[in-house]
Structure formats: structure tokens, C-alpha cells
Amino acid sequence: MRSNSETSSQAMASVAVANAALGAAFERVFSILYEAITDVINKTRMYESILLHLKGTLDQMRPLVEKMVLSNRERDLSEERTNRLIKRMEKAEKRVRKYSQLPWWKYLVRFHYAKKLVQLEKDLSGFFQVELPAWNAMNVLDVLESVRGPEDISQRLSLTRLNSVASCVVPRLRDFVIGLDVPLKELKMQLLAEEVSLLVLTAPGGCGKTTLVKMLGHDDDIKGKFEIFFVPVSKTPNLKVIIQKLLSKDDLSPPFQSDEDAIDQLEQMLVRQNKPILLILDDVWPGSESLLEKFVFRLPNYKILVTSRTVFPRFSNTYKLKPLNDDDAMKLFCHSAGLQDGSSSYIPDGEMVKKIVKGCGGFPLALKVVGKSLCGKPAVAWLVRVAKWSDGCSILDTDIESELLENLQSSLDFKGPEMILGECFMDLGSFPEDQRIPVATLIDMWSELYEPVVDGIHAIANLHEINNLNLVSLVATRQDVSEVGSYCSEDFVLQHDLLRELAIHQCRKEPFEQRKRLIIDISGNINIPKWWTEEREQPIDAQLLSISTGEKFSSRWCNILPTKVEVLVLNFQTKNYGLPEFLEKMDKLKVLIVTNYGFFPAELGNVQLLGFLPNLKRIRLQKVSIPSIFKNPPPLRNLEKISLFMCNGQNFRNCSIEISNSWSNLMEINIDYCNDLLEFPTCLCYVVSLKKVSITNCHKLFALPIEIRKLTSLEVLRLRSCTNLSELPESITSLQNLRILDISDCLSIGKLPKHIGELLNLNEIHMTGCLRLRNPLPPSTMNLEKLELVICDKERAKLWEPIREYFRMALSLHMDIRIAEKDINLNWLTNRL
């Protein structure tokens, strides 16, 4: 008679044999189905999308089902689930083979079978989503049951989180890493600061943010101090899924009742930890500020590190990762191209490598992608790549760099109201590489193209959003600001060359004739498009037309019909430059921007063509001489604003009083860095429509004419950094509509007009750096009852204190005296020398 132990052993052996057979059957049927789907996809495009879904489902199921079958072999578990899956897969294999043999003309039958394939995919997905998690829960239960006694609760909690810890560990570094040692030290220092609880690591896509946080997560100092949780986020993050990973909610615990429930459970888990916690949220996308705030708990020794392509203004602690420097970029490229280990069959010369590395702009992803694409290639492949780039072909224009293009383009996935940001970003490609772009220029463009709002408030807001997305770098030159739109006359943006190429690439997606913006970059006479030299008239539908020419440009303009162009940007480097003849056809033109990027000033010709532009509203000229425009002003009845930057003062010699009739709607004039301007042109004092006059950094200006009193509509007068200006004329007190007076850094002004109190609508005075203004202010300043803000330095603030006290005590009025911070920087020198 057999003992119970013998019977049990035989039963277990029988189960093991049965389960082994079951596992073999599963593996056989799974392979047959997988091969059938793959074979049909390769041979026919019929039902391709449905079969791809089926194949994807099987790819997901394979590792988990194999684990389940292996477990069934080892333990006495029910065979029902595995048998059910085997039957479904056998049925699926027969259907796939049968449906693939249907002739193309059996439309109705094909539709019927397609519906069955969709249902089959749903059945398999259901097994994947419901039954496999149930099996996994049984495994977790078995593990928990092995822990005996209520005294082992901590062990139970530890085992419950095993899966979470495994899924939230910091991934190991797989790639060659160079140039991140210094950023790692800086990031650690900033993260470990006591006052920092949430730190955002930000940079454009492809700069190595994830690589840097992986290095941080494997750093001995950080691992020794923190328990680290690493969670990849996404464009469409799911709060419950993220917390599910952190808490291992695939066990027997009930599902979260709400987001708040998930957050509460996460906080409870964090409170139980005995070690400081570092939560790394990788790849957080714009618009996720509210998500990040849910992970912020007032707990000691708890920090959050976020990687994102965007800056989140709501969180003040930010570390910006910069592209690699030239030396590190060269090392990374050489490694990726196999130039260091000798795996490349061709070793290019140093100059060729430098050109290619420069084209990658220090972006690690670009260096890796381009390097790998050339690794092992013959000399001709290297020569072709350099030749294409030299001829103006972008690094993003080849299929080889599709991975890089997709990565960068993902930052431009704007929807709804944010689509305007994508449009503004593409406009930035209108300017030459390695040059600063004045903010005032962008305001002129965008105020007419997108947001016709006073002072360009929306344009500035869009620029800040683009800056937060790391698509440009906004450089502010001064800090003593008060009014939106008034501070940007010296501010500028810089755009990385690779991001500029991205902007131009986006512009070229449309057919030539249908592009909203047409950007033409001609270096010398070698990159001229074919249609440029054709005799026939080339129609274009672009709203924005940008043409950049080099030093050797022959000044032979193309024959185009640009009747829809609203913004024209002309960039050149020659000593003499004539406006293009096609200007007379641009009757819808609103904004004209002409910039000389050459070393010497240039004289602008064909100025008479401006008379053909009835809708022109804004003109901006840089480093050009156009005396004829003021001597014989063309009739520009709709001209509202003219800006002259680094233009000679000779432009105003023999200035005609007729300008008041020709430009009868002119409301704003800006003259900046006009080195030989001695006096404000008297002829402009008769343009009574002027509301804003800005003369800044004109160091030889010594006087304003008495006739300035005729500008009765003037609201803003800026005379910033006119260091030789010794006084303001008494006639300025006739400007009854003046709201803002700015004499900052006018070093020679020793007093204010005696009757300045007659400026009854004066709201702001800026006078930082007026070093000679030391005597008490005129008594009439007590009549400035609408004065609300004075921005000055500490010395000048003492002069205003009695006035403020008088306003408060006698008139019950509030006047703010704001001390401007010392702003010593050389940002304003960029690209001016």
C-alpha cells in the first residue's frame, strides 16, 4: 500500500509532466501564429494595419506569458488560462492564413473578415489586460503568504514594493559619455542646496538631459544619500500610472479611487521611508506644471529633480544644460564615427571633421547620429556630406538624420492657441546665423502678422513662451524696467544654429509657391535658386519674405511677383545696397526691415521705391545711410514707426519740413547708437502725430530744439544714455500729454526744467545714473500729482524722498521710488563690434 507521501510525489510529478507538455504546446502555437502574421505582413498589404496591431499585442504578451507558463511548470496552478490562450491563438492562425488568400475584389467579404480580425485583436488584448495581471496578483499573494506573523509588516511592505523598486531604478548608462562632468558637479551642488526642494534640468531636445540625470543617479554621493526613484513621464502623463509604478499597485490592493487617493497613498509611503528620497521625473513636457505640483510634499529630506525641454516659470530653481564645447563635441563625434578605434575605413583630414562637428552645434544627439552615419563609410561619403552642407543643405535635410529631425520636431507639436508659437518660431529663421535678433524687430514683425496690439504685448508674451521652451535664448540688457514693451529696445534673442535650421526646415515643408514664409539665403552668387535668374515672373504667396546676401552678391535681383508679402526682411553685407526693384509690386507690405551685417556702414539706394508702398507701417534700418529719405521724403501716409539703429546722423542733414505732410501718421521714431547725431532734427518736431520719441546711446547729442514743444501728442520721451546732453529745454514743459520721461545714464544733466511741474500727466520718470543731478529738485515737482513711479539710484532717491512724503501727507497720494539694481554687463555689446 502506498504512503501519502508517495502518492503526493506521484501527483506532483504528474502535474509537472502535464505542465511541461502544456508549456511546449503554448510555445509551439505562439510561434506558429507569430510566423503566420509576420509572413502575411511581408507578402501582402491587405489588413496590414490590423495585423501590425496583432503582432504588437503578441510582442507585448510574449515575455509575460512565458513567465506564466514557466510558473505553471513549477507549481500546481490551474491550466485553464493557458489552454484558453492556446485555443485563441490556434483560431487566430487559421483566420490569418485564410484571410490573406482572399482575392482583392471581394470587398464585402474582406470587410467582414477585417471585423473578425479586429475582434480577435481585442480578445488577445483582453487576455493581456485582465487575465495576466490576475495571474501576477496570485504570485504576489504567494510571496506575501510566505511572510509569517503580524510582526513582519515591514517585510510585507518591502516585498510589496519589490516590483516598484525594480521598475523605478535609474537606468544604466549605455552610451559613450563626454563633456558632462562639470554639469554633473554643478547639478549636484544645486540639488543638494538646503533650500532647493524641486529642481528643473532643462535644455533643447538632444542635449543630454536624461544622460546627465542617469549619471547623477549612479553617482556614489547621491546613491549614498538618497533612495532614488526614476520615473519616465510623457507628453500625455497619467498621474495614476506614475504613482502605480512608485507603489507597485499591480498587487492585490484595490485600485485608486481618484487622483487624490493616489497622491495620498504616495505621501503615506514617502512618510514611512527612513532615508532621504530623490524622485526623478524624466522628460516632462510643457503644460505639466499642475502635475509636478501634485508631487510636491512638505516632507523633510525629500527632493524632486525634473528633466524637461521647457522652463517652468512657476518653479524658480532651474539648471540649464548647455551644448558641448568644441573639444568635447569633437571627441564625441570621433567616437561615434569610429575615428578613435580605427573602425572607420577612411580617416578624413582635420578641417573636414571640424566642419562637420560645427554643423552639429554641440548637440550630443546630432554628433552621435551624424557620426554613426559616416562610420565605416568611404571618402566619397564624407566629401559629399561636407559639400552638401557647404552648398546650403541643412543637416536636417537628409533621411540619414531622421532620428535627429524627429527628436527636434517633437518640440514643435503645438495645438490650439499655442500654434502661434510655432509660427513665431519659424519666423526666426529669417535672420542670419550667429547674429543677435533685436526684440524690437520681432515686435514689429509679429504685431503686424499676428497680434496687432498696442506696444506688442502679445508679441513679447509669445517671445517669452518660446524662450521658456528653449527654442531661443532671450537676453535682457537692463533691469530698471517698468512698462511692458518699453524695456526691449536693447534686448535681443540668440538662436542656436541647429534650431535655426529646424525653423527653416519647417518653412520648407510646403511647396515653394504656397509657403507662408519664403527664406532665401544667398552666399555670394553660389546658392542662387534656379528660378532667381529666370526671365519669367515668379509668383509667390508668402506673407513673409526674407533675403540674405553675402559680400559678393552682384545686386541682380530676381523677377518675382510678391503681391501678398506683408513683411520683407533684407540682410546684406555689401558697402552699397540697392532696394530690390520688385518692391514697387508689394502694395500689401506693412513692415520693411533692412539690416547691414557688414563691418562698414552702407548707403541704401533705390529709396524712391518706398513711394510704391501705400500700406507700409513700420521701417527698421540698421547701419545704413539714407539721407534722401529725410531730404525728399516719399509719401508714406500709413507709416507709423521708423527705427534707425547705428545709422549716421547725416541722414538728418537738410531734413525737409515736408516730412510732416508725407508721414502724417507717424507715431513713433527710434534713433539708437547714432554716433554723429548732434541735435534732435528740428524737422521731426513738426510731425505732430508723434507719440513716442526714443533717442538712446547717442553720445554726441548735446541739445534738444526749442521746437520740441510742438509735439503736443507726445506721450513717451526717452533720452537714455545720451551722455553729452547737459539739459532739457524749458519748452519741454509744453508736452501736456507726456506720460514717461527717461533720462537714465544722461551723465551731464545737472538739473530738471524749472517748471517741470507743468507736465501734469507725467506718470513715470527714469533717471538712474544721472550723476550730476545732485541739487534739490525744483519746487514745481510737487505739482506732479499723477507721478506714480520714479526709477533711480540711491543718490537720486534721496532727492525724491521729500516729494514722496509731501504727496503722502498733504495730498494722500502714493508715489513709488524704485531703486534700480546695478546692472553691470556687456550683453549690449554682442555683435556690435
Side-chain angles (χ1 to χ4, degrees):
M1 189 173 182
R2 297 178 181 176
S3 64
N4 291 336
S5 61
E6 290 176 337
T7 303
S8 177
S9 298
Q10 290 179 355
M12 292 179 62
S14 177
V15 169
V17 172
N19 284 337
L22 184 67
F26 164 77
E27 293 172 350
R28 179 179 59 81
V29 174
F30 186 97
S31 298
I32 291 174
L33 173 60
Y34 195 91
E35 290 173 4
I37 292 175
T38 304
D39 183 57
V40 173
I41 291 175
N42 291 334
K43 290 182 178 179
T44 177
R45 300 188 63 84
M46 188 183 300
Y47 314 120
E48 182 180 16
S49 61
I50 301 174
L51 292 174
L52 286 173
H53 277 292
L54 276 170
K55 184 176 180 294
T57 301
L58 293 181
D59 285 335
Q60 288 182 303
M61 291 173 61
R62 185 198 295 268
L64 290 178
V65 176
E66 285 177 348
K67 289 182 181 179
M68 186 184 78
V69 173
L70 179 62
S71 178
N72 285 350
R73 291 175 182 175
E74 296 173 348
R75 298 187 298 152
D76 184 11
L77 293 176
S78 171
E79 303 174 6
E80 180 182 355
R81 294 187 183 88
T82 308
N83 277 322
R84 188 182 304 139
L85 178 59
I86 288 175
K87 291 179 181 179
R88 289 181 180 178
M89 289 192 297
E90 288 175 338
K91 188 177 181 180
E93 191 269 338
K94 293 178 181 179
R95 283 184 177 177
V96 169
R97 294 291 186 188
K98 183 176 181 181
Y99 299 167
S100 66
Q101 299 171 4
L102 286 173
W104 63 269
W105 45 269
K106 289 191 175 183
Y107 298 106
L108 296 178
V109 178
R110 289 173 59 194
F111 177 74
H112 173 70
Y113 285 163
K115 289 177 63 177
K116 288 191 174 184
L117 285 176
V118 172
Q119 184 59 46
L120 174 61
E121 197 273 338
K122 290 182 179 178
D123 290 343
L124 292 174
S125 297
F127 185 96
F128 175 71
Q129 296 171 0
V130 177
E131 299 186 55
L132 285 181
W135 167 84
N136 186 57
M138 292 178 62
N139 281 346
V140 174
L141 180 61
D142 288 344
V143 175
L144 292 176
E145 286 178 350
S146 67
V147 182
R148 304 294 182 180
E151 67 278 1
D152 294 328
I153 293 178
S154 61
Q155 274 186 282
R156 291 172 181 261
L157 289 172
S158 177
L159 287 172
T160 302
R161 294 183 56 250
L162 281 176
N163 290 337
S164 171
V165 172
S167 63
C168 294
V169 297
V170 181
R172 65 184 181 88
L173 290 166
R174 297 182 177 86
D175 296 330
F176 176 76
V177 179
I178 190 71
L180 294 182
D181 290 341
V182 172
L184 178 61
K185 292 179 181 178
E186 295 174 346
L187 185 65
K188 279 174 57 177
M189 185 180 301
Q190 192 167 345
L191 179 67
L192 294 175
E194 184 177 351
E195 67 275 9
V196 175
S197 59
L198 189 150
L199 176 62
V200 179
L201 167 62
T202 182
C207 279
K209 300 182 294 296
T210 299
T211 300
L212 181 57
V213 294
K214 287 180 181 179
M215 292 177 64
L216 183 82
H218 290 288
D219 182 84
D220 291 337
D221 294 336
I222 298 298
K223 288 195 299 184
K225 182 176 179 61
F226 295 99
E227 181 170 355
I228 306 172
F229 295 86
F230 182 98
V231 181
V233 190
S234 65
K235 277 190 175 183
T236 56
N238 187 311
L239 178 67
K240 293 179 183 178
V241 171
I242 294 174
I243 297 180
Q244 183 177 356
K245 289 184 178 181
L246 293 169
L247 296 181
S248 184
K249 290 298 289 183
D250 55 352
D251 58 12
L252 295 182
S253 301
F256 298 126
Q257 299 300 312
S258 63
D259 285 354
E260 289 300 320
D261 178 39
I263 289 294
D264 291 341
Q265 292 193 40
L266 175 61
E267 185 175 15
Q268 292 172 21
M269 185 272 283
L270 296 175
V271 169
R272 290 195 296 265
Q273 301 305 308
N274 296 321
K275 192 175 181 181
I277 294 174
L278 173 60
L279 173 61
I280 300 176
L281 300 175
D282 184 44
D283 198 22
V284 178
W285 285 77
S288 298
E289 290 94 334
S290 59
L291 175 74
L292 294 181
E293 287 180 334
K294 295 182 184 297
F295 288 94
V296 177
F297 305 109
R298 294 185 178 180
L299 300 175
N301 301 319
Y302 170 59
K303 293 180 180 288
I304 303 173
L305 177 61
V306 176
T307 73
S308 178
R309 299 184 181 196
T310 186
V311 175
F312 295 109
R314 199 179 301 179
F315 306 107
S316 57
N317 296 307
T318 300
Y319 180 84
K320 288 193 174 185
L321 178 61
K322 299 178 181 178
L324 298 179
N325 60 39
D326 293 343
D327 291 339
D328 290 332
M330 179 68 72
K331 293 176 183 177
L332 180 57
F333 174 78
C334 290
H335 174 84
S336 301
L339 300 181
Q340 293 179 330
D341 58 10
S343 60
S344 179
S345 60
Y346 167 70
I347 305 300
D349 62 71
E351 288 303 315
M352 181 182 296
V353 175
K354 285 182 180 179
K355 289 180 180 179
I356 294 177
V357 171
K358 184 179 184 298
C360 296
F363 275 47
L365 179 60
L367 293 160
K368 292 176 184 177
V369 170
V370 176
K372 290 178 180 178
S373 71
L374 292 171
C375 183
K377 295 292 181 66
V380 65
W382 290 77
L383 294 172
V384 167
R385 181 65 57 87
V386 173
K388 284 185 176 181
W389 289 5
S390 299
D391 290 341
C393 181
S394 168
I395 184 178
L396 304 176
D397 287 340
T398 62
D399 294 335
I400 297 174
E401 279 76 54
S402 59
E403 178 186 353
L404 174 62
L405 177 60
E406 290 173 6
N407 184 288
L408 295 176
Q409 280 183 329
S410 61
S411 298
L412 306 179
D413 187 18
F414 301 113
K415 297 179 181 179
E418 292 184 347
M419 292 183 68
I420 185 67
L421 301 180
E423 298 292 326
C424 292
F425 169 73
M426 287 188 283
D427 291 339
L428 295 171
S430 304
F431 302 92
E433 65 180 10
D434 299 326
Q435 298 289 343
R436 65 179 196 132
I437 306 173
V439 171
T441 301
L442 298 177
I443 291 176
D444 284 342
M445 292 172 56
W446 295 343
S447 293
E448 297 300 332
L449 284 175
Y450 308 118
E451 297 287 353
V453 179
V454 176
D455 288 331
I457 295 175
H458 286 74
I460 295 174
N462 290 339
L463 180 57
H464 278 278
E465 289 296 325
I466 298 173
N467 177 67
N468 290 338
L469 293 169
N470 284 309
L471 296 174
V472 296
S473 295
L474 174 60
V475 182
T477 59
R478 302 189 66 92
Q479 302 298 325
D480 58 334
V481 303
S482 60
E483 181 188 34
V484 173
S486 69
Y487 75 101
C488 60
S489 61
E490 297 180 16
D491 295 351
F492 58 91
V493 299
L494 298 173
Q495 187 173 37
H496 192 280
D497 290 348
L498 198 56
L499 294 176
R500 177 180 179 270
E501 290 191 24
L502 176 63
I504 295 175
H505 183 276
Q506 295 298 107
C507 295
R508 291 175 178 170
K509 282 186 174 182
E510 299 289 338
F512 173 81
E513 296 82 2
Q514 300 175 15
R515 292 177 189 170
K516 294 175 64 176
R517 53 189 64 74
L518 181 58
I519 300 175
I520 305 170
D521 193 350
I522 299 176
S523 300
N525 291 309
I526 60 175
N527 294 326
I528 298 178
K530 291 183 179 180
W531 55 264
W532 185 280
T533 56
E534 294 179 356
E535 294 299 327
R536 69 182 182 89
E537 197 170 53
Q538 176 69 51
I540 62 173
D541 288 338
Q543 285 183 289
L544 186 154
L545 173 60
S546 170
I547 303 177
S548 300
T549 58
E551 295 180 357
K552 298 180 181 179
F553 178 60
S554 64
S555 297
R556 181 185 176 186
W557 289 106
C558 56
N559 186 21
I560 60 175
L561 187 61
T563 54
K564 296 183 180 180
V565 173
E566 296 181 14
V567 175
L568 176 62
V569 181
L570 299 173
N571 308 304
F572 68 97
Q573 299 179 36
T574 54
K575 292 183 179 180
N576 296 297
Y577 188 80
L579 293 175
E581 290 80 4
F582 57 72
L583 204 65
E584 63 183 20
K585 307 171 188 176
M586 306 176 73
D587 56 352
K588 291 187 179 180
L589 189 68
K590 296 179 181 178
V591 181
L592 174 63
I593 299 168
V594 183
T595 305
N596 171 21
Y597 287 101
F599 187 79
F600 297 102
E603 183 164 344
L604 193 64
N606 291 343
V607 179
Q608 72 279 1
L609 294 176
L610 297 178
F612 292 91
L613 307 174
N615 291 301
L616 189 63
K617 291 184 178 182
R618 298 168 185 252
I619 298 176
R620 179 180 173 87
L621 306 174
Q622 177 172 325
K623 206 185 296 186
V624 296
S625 173
I626 45 166
S628 61
I629 195 174
F630 292 100
K631 183 177 181 180
N632 299 302
L636 298 172
R637 306 296 182 189
N638 288 308
L639 185 65
E640 297 177 359
K641 178 181 178 181
I642 184 168
S643 301
L644 306 174
F645 181 80
M646 298 183 72
C647 296
N648 293 332
Q650 64 177 347
N651 290 317
F652 302 106
R653 293 171 188 169
N654 301 316
C655 180
S656 171
I657 197 173
E658 289 299 319
I659 200 169
S660 60
N661 294 324
S662 299
W663 301 351
S664 55
N665 285 309
L666 185 66
M667 292 187 288
E668 181 175 356
I669 183 167
N670 299 302
I671 304 172
D672 196 15
Y673 284 93
C674 184
N675 294 328
D676 57 351
L677 181 67
L678 302 179
E679 188 175 9
F680 181 73
T682 303
C683 63
L684 295 178
C685 295
Y686 294 92
V687 185
V688 294
S689 57
L690 277 172
K691 293 185 177 181
K692 294 183 179 181
V693 170
S694 177
I695 307 176
T696 56
N697 301 294
C698 296
H699 300 297
K700 292 186 179 181
L701 180 74
F702 70 90
L704 299 180
I706 297 176
E707 288 82 357
I708 198 171
R709 66 177 183 268
K710 296 183 179 294
L711 298 178
T712 54
S713 300
L714 197 65
E715 298 178 2
V716 178
L717 177 61
R718 296 193 187 95
L719 303 166
R720 175 180 290 171
S721 298
C722 294
T723 55
N724 201 38
L725 184 63
S726 59
E727 65 177 1
L728 301 177
E730 283 292 335
S731 61
I732 200 175
T733 59
S734 299
L735 306 179
Q736 293 298 301
N737 287 304
L738 194 66
R739 296 186 299 106
I740 299 175
L741 175 63
D742 186 355
I743 56 173
S744 300
D745 296 320
C746 288
L747 306 180
S748 300
I749 290 182
K751 63 180 180 178
L752 296 180
K754 181 178 180 181
H755 299 290
I756 193 172
E758 295 180 9
L759 298 174
L760 300 180
N761 286 298
L762 194 63
N763 185 257
E764 294 182 18
I765 293 182
H766 301 242
M767 53 190 310
T768 303
C770 294
L771 303 183
R772 289 191 60 190
L773 211 160
R774 302 188 184 94
N775 297 324
L777 300 175
S780 67
T781 51
M782 292 186 292
N783 297 329
L784 299 174
E785 297 184 5
K786 290 190 177 181
L787 187 62
E788 297 179 356
L789 177 64
V790 176
I791 298 180
C792 58
D793 48 47
K794 291 183 179 180
E795 293 299 317
R796 264 41 65 184
K798 294 176 183 178
L799 303 179
W800 284 100
E801 284 294 345
I803 308 300
R804 178 166 67 175
E805 189 65 17
Y806 169 75
F807 279 10
R808 186 178 68 84
M809 298 294 294
L811 305 177
S812 298
L813 297 175
H814 175 73
M815 183 184 72
D816 184 19
I817 300 177
R818 189 179 304 172
I819 307 298
E821 297 181 5
K822 289 185 178 180
D823 184 31
I824 303 175
N825 66 64
L826 297 178
N827 287 335
W828 58 276
L829 284 173
T830 304
N831 293 328
R832 289 188 180 171
L833 300 179

